[in-house]
Amino acid sequence: MMGHSSSGFTKTGLDRLREALARHVESGKIPGLVALVGRGEETHVEAIGTMRHDGGVPMRRDTIFRMASTTKPVGAAAAMVLVDECRLRLDDPVDPWLPELADRQVLKRPDGPLDDTVPARRPISVRDLLTSTNGLGMDMTAPGTPIMGALFERGVYGQEDGWLLPGVDPDEWMRRLGTLPLMHQPGERWIYNISNDVLGVLVARVTGQSFEEFLRERIFGPLGMKDTGFHVPADKIDRLPPLYAPDWQTGEFRVEDPAEGGHHSTPPAFQSGGGGLDSTADDYHAFFRMLLGGGIHDGERILSRAAVELMTTNQLPPEQLAARVAWGRDSVHRGYGLGQHGGWGFGMAVRTYRGDYAPIGQFGWDGGSGTTAYADPHHQLVGILLTQTGMSTPDSARAIHDFWTTLYQAIDD
């Protein structure tokens, strides 16, 4: 472990971590949470508060959460299994499997009219999807542009009840995506989210399986991630809390997605690699420990060491980092708190500068439902915090921030 002591965490530090998280629950702004910190063989879990904002059943270690964008690293890992096996090559065009994305037109200006375009200079590659540089995505820094409007009007994103994940099957979703121009030339600029959903479709088409079947066979099964999938079956639905979107002004708890009868209670039409997974702290711990272990879990190889190193290395050149950092800063200003990383690997952030307590090289991502999961190779550390209060108010973001601040003080060196 690079010369570090293997004692893991100090008791004082873990007490402070628990107190910081308990304060957020006691404030009444967050009903409950599950936090996991792991270092070497030592794992420490806190389950605080209740499943519902009005009390009732307590949070448990095996509570299932909507992982939202914390899904992204898992989807990237699935694609890298295929790269390892030479069934995909990083710089090959995706056109043979995703003909809907062949012969793209590109907007002359990202905020311009949809018909003011030039031809794409080259096809979209597998690498573009892995690094979110495929030219089309959700630009939080440019709301109100024709292309952002079209994503929702054409049903690429958003369902009738306001739920953001795609509501149509993958073939129909790709057809709709194929009616839109790109916002940027392939490979030119980091832009969030759509690439991760396309990647899931790519994995399914290359393998001839559903995205979930492939994940189960190659990642969830071998890692023992028994509670991870794109919906929560009826015999486990009591372990899924409601998802809340508190009102900005009043702080009143609104149910954005109930457990029973909600979006995660039945198999979705679209298995979203950008944000669709449900999981637990222990399942995600297994996944991130596999990445820390260079692709091996309990003696079984899931990914090559080279694949993991590539995934967890910054892939963006300096001029593209600027756009990525601007997006992160903008998300902080909107209360999402996804700021101080710098870089981006495959499906996740990679720290390229030290802007907070975590060192350079830490990798992972966060979810808009109030989830965070990162691993730190320098300290051989995994941290996971799961809440069910979406990022509509800053409360989950603040809890996540305090989690990382106290976790890094709890390390026993």
Side-chain angles (χ1 to χ4, degrees):
M1 284 179 40
M2 298 170 50
H4 294 300
S5 72
S6 57
S7 51
F9 307 100
T10 64
K11 181 176 181 323
T12 324
L14 290 175
D15 287 347
R16 181 184 284 183
L17 175 84
R18 184 189 164 81
E19 281 158 26
L21 294 175
R23 267 201 307 276
H24 285 281
V25 174
E26 284 153 15
S27 75
K29 302 270 181 69
I30 292 177
L33 54 84
V34 175
L36 181 150
V37 298
R39 201 169 171 220
E41 293 309 304
E42 186 178 337
T43 306
H44 184 83
V45 178
E46 297 285 359
I48 304 173
T50 52
M51 301 264 285
R52 303 181 60 86
H53 79 88
D54 45 10
V57 182
M59 278 287 177
R60 302 194 330 209
R61 179 170 182 157
D62 68 352
T63 294
I64 297 170
F65 292 85
R66 299 160 192 78
M67 299 306 291
S69 286
T70 317
T71 299
K72 289 176 167 68
V74 179
M80 289 309 292
V81 170
L82 298 176
V83 173
D84 270 344
E85 294 181 348
C86 302
R87 292 158 84 182
L88 284 174
R89 295 179 200 89
L90 289 174
D91 292 306
D92 276 1
V94 296
D95 302 1
W97 296 283
L98 305 172
E100 299 92 341
L101 298 183
D103 305 317
R104 294 290 76 203
Q105 290 291 310
V106 183
L107 293 173
K108 285 184 186 165
R109 298 202 337 265
D111 59 351
L114 296 183
D115 55 0
D116 190 17
T117 61
V118 295
R121 289 196 285 269
R122 65 163 175 80
I124 294 168
S125 68
V126 175
R127 185 189 301 272
D128 295 332
L129 295 178
L130 282 161
T131 56
S132 299
T133 58
N134 59 308
L136 193 58
M138 309 285 275
D139 192 352
M140 297 200 313
T141 61
T145 57
I147 185 70
M148 286 295 285
L151 284 171
F152 292 97
E153 283 152 26
R154 300 191 193 181
V156 174
Y157 283 106
Q159 299 178 32
E160 272 86 50
D161 58 0
W163 188 249
L164 266 182
L165 295 180
V168 293
D169 70 71
D171 291 348
E172 173 60 18
W173 187 79
M174 289 301 302
R175 188 194 67 75
R176 294 179 186 191
L177 201 61
T179 68
L180 294 167
L182 304 180
M183 299 152 82
H184 301 278
Q185 288 285 345
E188 195 174 77
R189 186 184 160 112
W190 183 91
I191 185 161
Y192 193 54
N193 197 69
I194 287 182
S195 60
N196 305 95
D197 278 338
V198 176
L199 204 55
V201 180
L202 177 66
V203 167
R205 289 188 178 175
V206 169
T207 60
Q209 296 172 279
S210 77
F211 185 36
E212 186 167 35
E213 282 167 347
F214 184 74
L215 283 167
R216 205 165 292 294
E217 188 181 297
R218 303 304 300 273
I219 294 177
F220 303 158
L223 289 177
M225 294 171 71
K226 60 185 187 299
D227 291 324
T228 303
F230 289 103
H231 85 289
V232 181
D235 61 347
K236 295 181 182 180
I237 198 83
D238 61 319
R239 289 162 54 194
L240 179 74
L243 177 67
Y244 294 110
D247 186 279
W248 262 106
Q249 274 73 40
T250 64
E252 179 195 357
F253 280 94
R254 290 194 315 252
V255 175
E256 186 170 15
D257 186 42
E260 306 257 357
H263 286 280
H264 289 260
S265 66
T266 53
F270 188 96
Q271 297 170 352
S272 167
L277 284 178
D278 303 298
S279 193
T280 62
D282 281 299
D283 279 11
Y284 255 67
H285 187 211
F287 176 76
F288 275 91
R289 273 194 67 163
M290 177 272 291
L291 294 178
L292 274 187
I296 289 182
H297 175 79
D298 284 349
E300 185 173 356
R301 185 163 285 291
I302 313 290
L303 284 168
S304 68
R305 177 173 288 280
V308 172
E309 286 172 355
L310 195 54
M311 287 174 70
T312 59
T313 300
N314 172 51
Q315 300 291 323
L316 300 182
E319 66 276 10
Q320 291 191 18
L321 275 178
R324 158 86 185 91
V325 170
W327 183 90
R329 295 232 167 92
D330 186 65
S331 87
V332 172
H333 296 152
R334 289 163 190 252
Y336 295 115
L338 307 179
Q340 305 294 333
H341 315 96
W344 193 256
F346 289 170
M348 58 186 134
V350 180
R351 279 175 202 265
T352 51
Y353 66 89
R354 187 152 193 165
D356 57 24
Y357 283 31
I360 289 169
Q362 187 208 38
F363 57 82
W365 197 228
D366 310 271
S369 53
T371 58
T372 186
Y374 287 81
D376 168 357
H378 179 70
H379 296 102
Q380 286 294 302
L381 171 79
V382 176
I384 296 162
L385 175 64
L386 307 177
T387 77
Q388 94 264 33
T389 319
M391 301 275 197
S392 65
T393 61
D395 301 304
S396 278
R398 286 176 184 144
I400 287 169
H401 189 275
D402 295 351
F403 170 70
W404 291 110
T405 298
T406 51
L407 173 52
Y408 272 97
Q409 296 172 70
I411 294 171
D412 183 11
D413 276 338

